[in-house]
């Protein structure tokens, strides 16, 4: 399997199209961008030469049918991934349960529509088994870790689909979202998670979680891309009894009025509260009128999802397997779905009446608002914490997501301000059914205003925005960081706490050597200018000028700030090391950067 080309990491749909138009990229080159490394737990099945050949032959036939006009195939040659509970012809579907697995005879409707538009499926992705979970740890195919810090959870159940987009391996992917599975991993991996109105994207060919509530969701680096993919994959499907036609509702953008919960629960996570407070202030700066609403009906409805008989829908999917071989299920999943036996038909109707009443109250509450603004999750947890307390912590993560499909709402999860510990945080905009276009317009406005990095690739949104923005305001200092101050590293908070803004990930000129310094806490590298060296990976941050001095004051010897040359000729401020600091140090230039070196130690 070829390694993914570094030049294509983090490409958006526009990047792929531009590369094909210019001739820089040929159709067969998509194989070079195929999933990497056999140890990557984000994937369950990956493309091989035979599957690629089949798709290219089909694509050639489609192109011939439109007279060779690639503009009529909007996703021509663009790779994507799909959660492994969505059927793709000739690929296995496992729902992360090998004993349940089968080879699909035909594409799910969403996969078929994407392939008809020219897209190429590169792989099926890992998930919490039977799409039951918000953590990404409940799979026999391995735990999917956070794209920023490997000791933290990725979120689930669409863990793999979020991970491969965040790491730039594909520009978009499909997940599913019944209780938040398309939004929680988006928040934890700094990407966009679009949860459409139920029925907008067909669920034909999808292994159900709760069939009456399920949605196919879309992950992407930008709102524009997620919205476009949903429009291509969506639409009425006569073969899906839960499919609904999209009414041509106008985008409601005249007065921007956002509701926020009157009671917010972060379970003691002060950093999560801080980032949401920042988001509220950012929306105010964008002109939004923000007002609190009674959140208790939302919380009551969210609690019904797992406390009520909807768990019986999950049981229905795995019923025969549970009876035949209960040990084939992940123990946490088995314990959850087994609770279905507590409920009977009378309970189902009683809970449905309660659901309908709360849903009516929620939709009434949202009248007069453009959308509800909420944290996507109240906190984030390490893998170890979730494995130690799998049900309670998972339940917490659904605080602001579980009610959405029960109330027939649309939702869009967006990257927001980073936490002080360098982890991503997210917000979600929630609106009544069929307000998907309204949410997309709001999301575009948000993303263009913040110019945040895309996923975990280090590329800034401003690089793909339609309007070119200055590379750095005069009130900031552009700084290159190389080690412990990188995103997700122990000292990154020294930047974020000063409101420094991430710009991009790039490399130095090929005249630098990198060393792992001895006896430093936390471990730090030293960058030294040399006559013979190599390009070293760095991150660029814009640090407010009035806070730059206090930042420099925290830098211990033998490190300091000097001028660095980048591989494109730019000169920026950056970390340098005094020669005396190299005593006892290990040269690690060949790794090309601090992250790669640390990864080698594992």
């Amino acid at each position: 399997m070829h390694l993914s080309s570094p030049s294509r990491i983090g490409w958006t749909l526009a990047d792929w199209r531009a590369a094909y138009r210019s001739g820089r990229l040929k159709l067969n080159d998509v194989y070079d961008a195929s999933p990497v490394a056999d140890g990557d737990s984000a994937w369950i099945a990956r493309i091989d030469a035979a599957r690629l050949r089949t798709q290219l032959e089909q694509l050639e036939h489609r192109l011939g049918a439109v007279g060779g006009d690639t503009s009529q195939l909007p996703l021509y040659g663009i790779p994507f991934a799909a959660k492994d509970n969505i059927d793709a012809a000739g690929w296995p579907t496992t729902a992360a349960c090998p004993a349940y697995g089968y080879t699909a005879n035909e594409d799910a409707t969403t996969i078929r529509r994407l392939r008809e538009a020219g897209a190429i499926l590169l792989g099926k992705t890992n998930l919490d088994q039977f799409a039951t979970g918000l953590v990404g740890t409940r799979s026999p195919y391995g735990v999917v870790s956070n794209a920023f810090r490997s000791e933290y959870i990725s979120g689930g159940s669409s863990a793999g689909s979020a991970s491969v987009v965040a790491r730039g391996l594909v520009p978009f992917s499909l997940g599913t979202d019944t209780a938040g599975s398309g939004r929680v991993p988006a928040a934890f991996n700094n990407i966009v998670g679009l949860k459409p109105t139920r029925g907008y994207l067909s669920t034909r060919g999808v292994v159900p979680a709760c069939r009456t509530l399920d949605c196919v969701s879309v992950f992407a680096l930008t709102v524009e891309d997620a919205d476009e993919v949903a429009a291509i994959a969506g639409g009425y499907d006569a073969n899906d009894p839960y499919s609904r036609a999209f009414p041509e509702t106008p985008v409601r953008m005249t007065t921007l009025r956002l509701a926020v919960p009157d009671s917010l629960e972060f379970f003691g996570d002060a950093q999560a509260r801080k980032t949401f407070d920042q988001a509220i202030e950012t929306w105010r700066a964008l002109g939004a009128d923000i007002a609190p609403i009674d959140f208790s009906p939302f919380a009551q409805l969210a609690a019904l999802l797992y406390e009520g008989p909807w768990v019986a829908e999950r049981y229905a999917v795995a019923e025969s397997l549970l009876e035949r071989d209960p040990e084939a299920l992940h123990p946490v999943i088995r314990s959850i779905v087994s609770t279905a036996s507590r409920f009977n038909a009378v309970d189902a109707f009683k809970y449905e009446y309660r659901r309908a009443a709360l849903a009516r109250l929620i939709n009434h509450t949202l009248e007069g608002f453009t959308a509800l603004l909420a944290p996507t999750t109240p906190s984030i947890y390490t893998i170890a914490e979730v494995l130690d307390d799998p049900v309670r912590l998972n339940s917490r993560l659904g605080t602001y997501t579980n009610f959405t499909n029960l109330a027939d709402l649309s939702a869009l999860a967006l990257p927001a301000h980073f936490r002080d510990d360098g982890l991503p945080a997210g917000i979600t905009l929630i609106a009544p059914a069929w307000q998907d276009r309204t949410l997309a317009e709001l999301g575009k406005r948000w993303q263009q205003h913040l110019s945040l990095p895309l996923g975990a690739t280090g590329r800034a949104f401003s690089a793909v925005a339609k309007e070119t923005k200055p590379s750095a305001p005069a009130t900031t200092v552009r700084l290159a960081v190389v080690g412990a101050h990188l995103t997700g590293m122990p000292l990154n908070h020294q930047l974020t706490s000063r409101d420094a803004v991430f710009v991009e990930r790039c490399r130095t000129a090929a005249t630098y050597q990198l060393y792992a310094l001895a006896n430093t806490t936390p471990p730090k590298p030293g960058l030294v200018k040399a006559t013979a060296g190599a390009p070293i990976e760095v991150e660029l941050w814009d640090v407010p000028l009035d806070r730059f001095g206090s930042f420099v004051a925290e830098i211990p010897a033998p490190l300091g700030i000097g001028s660095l040359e980048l591989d494109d000729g730019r000169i920026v401020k950056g970390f340098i090391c005094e020669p005396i600091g190299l005593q006892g140090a290990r040269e690690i230039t060949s790794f090309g950067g601090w992250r790669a070196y640390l990864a080698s130690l594992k």
Side-chain angles (χ1 to χ4, degrees):
M1 188 67 66
H2 295 276
L3 292 178
S4 183
S5 168
S7 63
R8 291 175 222 144
I9 292 293
W11 274 14
T12 63
L13 297 186
D15 294 321
W16 280 93
R17 288 169 179 147
Y20 281 126
R21 282 197 305 268
S22 67
R24 289 188 293 122
L25 190 68
K26 303 299 182 185
L27 192 57
N28 286 334
D29 293 337
V30 74
Y31 189 55
D32 289 331
S34 59
V36 299
D38 288 334
D40 190 343
S41 62
W43 302 96
I44 288 179
R46 299 194 296 272
I47 197 170
D48 54 25
R51 289 192 179 114
L52 177 66
R53 183 168 58 252
T54 297
Q55 292 186 82
L56 294 184
E57 289 171 354
Q58 293 170 344
L59 184 53
E60 184 178 4
H61 176 75
R62 293 186 185 109
L63 188 60
V66 296
D69 183 4
T70 57
S71 66
Q72 295 190 48
L73 299 174
L75 298 177
Y76 175 81
I78 296 177
F80 74 105
K83 188 175 180 178
D84 195 29
N85 61 344
I86 305 175
D87 285 347
W91 292 72
T93 300
T94 70
C97 182
Y100 177 85
Y102 59 89
T103 298
N105 293 322
E106 59 180 339
D107 287 337
T109 300
T110 49
I111 297 284
R112 174 178 57 79
R113 288 173 173 170
L114 293 172
R115 293 216 239 205
E116 287 176 348
I120 297 175
L121 180 65
L122 286 193
K124 304 289 292 296
T125 55
N126 202 356
L127 63 149
D128 284 321
Q129 192 175 76
F130 290 113
T132 301
L134 295 173
V135 287
T137 64
R138 301 171 173 178
S139 170
Y141 294 96
V143 171
V144 181
S145 61
N146 188 279
F148 286 78
R149 292 178 64 177
S150 60
E151 69 270 28
Y152 279 83
I153 60 172
S154 62
S157 63
S158 309
S161 289
S163 177
V164 296
V165 170
R167 291 182 289 142
L169 303 182
V170 290
F172 73 92
S173 67
L174 296 183
T176 60
D177 190 318
T178 302
S181 298
R183 289 162 281 163
V184 170
F188 289 167
N189 291 280
N190 193 46
I191 59 176
V192 173
L194 185 155
K195 193 230 62 86
T197 297
R198 282 191 295 107
Y200 175 21
L201 272 67
S202 172
T203 55
R204 181 174 179 268
V206 177
V207 177
C210 295
R211 193 176 180 193
T212 59
L213 301 176
D214 291 342
C215 293
V216 173
S217 63
V218 180
F219 295 105
L221 294 171
T222 69
V223 176
E224 287 89 346
D225 285 1
D227 187 41
E228 180 179 353
V229 169
I232 292 170
Y236 180 71
D237 179 5
N239 293 313
D240 175 9
Y242 290 96
S243 179
R244 299 190 283 179
F246 196 114
E248 291 303 318
T249 51
V251 175
R252 303 183 307 180
M253 292 291 290
T254 52
T255 302
L256 179 52
R257 191 160 185 255
L258 299 178
V260 294
D262 63 348
S263 57
L264 287 161
E265 176 61 76
F266 295 98
F267 300 99
D269 190 337
Q271 292 192 47
R273 180 178 292 277
K274 177 182 176 181
T275 57
F276 187 65
D277 288 344
Q278 287 177 297
I280 291 176
E281 292 309 310
T282 301
W283 278 110
R284 284 199 173 104
L286 285 167
D289 175 28
I290 295 178
I293 58 168
D294 179 10
F295 193 67
S296 59
F298 297 79
Q300 292 171 39
L301 187 57
L304 292 186
L305 187 61
Y306 284 100
E307 295 175 4
W310 284 274
V311 72
E313 285 199 275
R314 298 182 185 270
Y315 183 91
V317 178
E319 181 178 12
S320 62
L321 183 59
L322 274 166
E323 294 174 353
R324 182 178 74 253
D325 184 13
E327 296 301 315
L329 271 70
H330 188 284
V332 176
I333 306 303
R334 186 170 64 248
S335 68
I336 291 171
V337 298
S338 295
T339 63
S341 61
R342 303 197 324 251
F343 302 100
N344 57 34
V346 175
D347 294 325
F349 280 106
K350 287 180 177 178
Y351 275 89
E352 168 55 21
Y353 303 152
R354 179 62 174 157
R355 183 210 64 80
L358 288 169
R360 174 66 62 85
L361 179 57
I362 285 170
N363 277 274
H364 178 72
T365 300
L366 293 179
E367 289 179 2
F369 290 98
T370 315
L372 168 67
L373 169 64
T376 303
T377 67
S379 188
I380 185 172
Y381 303 107
T382 65
I383 293 170
E385 287 172 328
V386 167
L387 293 178
D388 187 57
D389 191 359
V391 175
R392 185 173 67 98
L393 297 188
N394 184 93
S395 178
R396 286 182 177 180
L397 296 178
T399 301
Y400 303 108
T401 61
N402 280 359
F403 58 81
T404 309
N405 285 340
L406 287 166
D408 197 15
L409 305 174
S410 53
L412 180 65
L414 298 166
H417 307 81
F418 277 72
R419 297 158 52 102
D420 290 344
D421 57 12
L423 288 166
I427 59 167
T428 298
L429 298 170
I430 303 169
W434 306 117
Q435 287 303 311
D436 306 72
R437 296 282 181 266
T438 299
L439 296 183
E441 291 306 311
L442 285 175
K444 292 172 188 176
R445 184 187 298 188
W446 169 264
Q447 203 165 28
Q448 289 169 5
H449 177 76
L450 285 188
S451 298
L452 291 168
L454 299 174
T457 67
R459 186 179 182 194
F461 176 78
S462 57
V464 297
K466 293 180 180 178
E467 296 181 2
T468 302
K469 299 184 179 182
S471 59
T475 55
T476 64
V477 176
R478 181 150 292 180
L479 177 71
V481 299
V482 70
H485 289 87
L486 294 168
T487 300
M489 296 292 176
L491 298 183
N492 183 254
H493 66 90
Q494 292 182 354
L495 291 168
T496 57
S497 64
R498 291 175 169 85
D499 295 324
V501 176
F502 178 91
V503 178
E504 63 178 297
R505 185 179 294 174
C506 56
R507 298 190 302 174
T508 68
T511 52
Y512 289 89
Q513 294 176 348
L514 191 66
Y515 292 82
L517 302 181
N519 304 318
T520 56
T521 304
K524 301 180 186 72
L527 190 66
V528 178
K529 183 99 171 177
T531 54
I536 302 298
E537 184 181 274
V538 295
E539 287 181 359
L540 300 185
W541 289 73
D542 283 342
V543 184
L545 185 60
D546 59 354
R547 302 177 191 183
F548 187 67
S550 65
F551 174 79
V552 174
E554 290 190 288
I555 299 172
L559 301 177
I561 298 296
S563 295
L564 296 185
E565 181 183 359
L566 303 180
D567 61 356
D568 60 4
R570 286 178 292 170
I571 303 296
V572 297
K573 295 301 178 185
F575 278 82
I576 58 174
C577 183
E578 298 175 14
I580 194 172
L582 302 183
Q583 294 179 4
R586 174 189 174 187
E587 185 179 351
I588 57 172
T589 307
S590 60
F591 290 95
W594 186 240
R595 290 185 190 277
Y597 167 69
L598 293 181
S600 74
L601 300 180
K602 297 179 181 180

